[in-house]
Amino acid sequence: MMFDEFDKYISEFAMEDFAVDYWYDEGVDIAEAMLHEFDDSDWELLLRSLPERTVEWQKRLAYCMHDESDLNQLIVLLRLADTDNNELFEITVDSLRGFTSEESLNLIQDHPQIIFKIKQLLPKAGNAAKRVFEEITNRFKGENNYVAISEEQTN
């Protein structure tokens, strides 16, 4: 199964002492290529295994998921967005920005807790995170239901 190979590969990068530069220079591209070889059983296994993986592993996963034509990646990102770890959440939202199709936006809208959390984190976010958060919230300004739900949750 491709998932086993991917899991082993990502696990190596999730270790604290592994060279971070290599991940961003080459590792992420290799991981993305592996994701493109996943079949349905690999995606199912990935989703089932997420709760057992470390936050560092999940960060690496979120970072390499931005193929807007792959709804499996979107589903995984929506699952990863349900986290208490702010850095993982920021990486996940950054990856979600790449999903711009109508179908993708509808799936994101089904998770109003994402905008709610963004609004909670926005005042304390750094400049880069603010830009990411603002870009994704601006997509839904015209979507009355999404913004209304999010506004209700923040009050």
Side-chain angles (χ1 to χ4, degrees):
M1 295 198 86
M2 181 52 69
F3 172 76
D4 294 331
E5 188 177 332
F6 178 82
D7 183 34
K8 182 179 177 189
Y9 187 73
I10 293 292
S11 294
E12 291 175 11
F13 288 101
M15 296 185 310
E16 294 294 327
D17 60 341
F18 203 90
V20 175
D21 289 343
Y22 180 79
W23 168 253
Y24 294 108
D25 291 343
E26 295 181 36
V28 69
D29 294 331
I30 294 168
E32 286 176 22
M34 289 179 178
L35 288 172
H36 287 288
E37 295 182 35
F38 271 32
D39 61 22
D40 289 342
S41 62
D42 291 312
W43 288 110
E44 289 173 26
L45 193 53
L46 173 62
L47 284 169
R48 281 197 318 268
S49 71
L50 279 179
E52 303 163 6
R53 299 300 179 260
T54 66
V55 170
E56 290 304 315
W57 191 98
Q58 292 177 13
K59 288 178 193 175
R60 297 293 188 259
L61 174 64
Y63 189 83
C64 64
M65 297 190 118
H66 50 263
D67 180 355
E68 80 169 277
S69 65
D70 189 341
L71 288 179
N72 286 309
Q73 288 189 22
L74 177 59
I75 291 165
V76 171
L77 287 169
L78 292 171
R79 183 88 51 94
L80 289 172
D82 185 18
T83 180
D84 293 329
N85 184 284
N86 292 345
E87 186 178 358
L88 173 57
F89 183 76
E90 289 174 17
I91 294 167
T92 300
V93 171
D94 190 27
S95 290
L96 284 171
R97 289 186 310 156
F99 291 84
T100 58
S101 72
E102 185 175 338
E103 184 177 14
S104 296
L105 294 175
N106 287 337
L107 283 171
I108 295 169
Q109 279 186 293
D110 288 342
H111 295 80
Q113 68 275 17
I114 293 172
I115 297 297
F116 175 68
K117 186 165 184 169
I118 288 172
K119 289 182 178 192
Q120 286 181 316
L121 295 175
L122 200 54
K124 298 175 272 184
N127 290 335
K130 274 185 183 169
R131 284 192 299 275
V132 168
F133 289 164
E134 288 168 353
E135 182 180 328
I136 201 156
T137 56
N138 286 339
R139 284 193 190 148
F140 299 104
K141 291 275 189 212
E143 305 292 337
N144 293 332
N145 292 341
Y146 197 62
V147 173
I149 292 169
S150 299
E151 291 295 329
E152 287 173 16
Q153 288 181 349
T154 58
N155 292 332

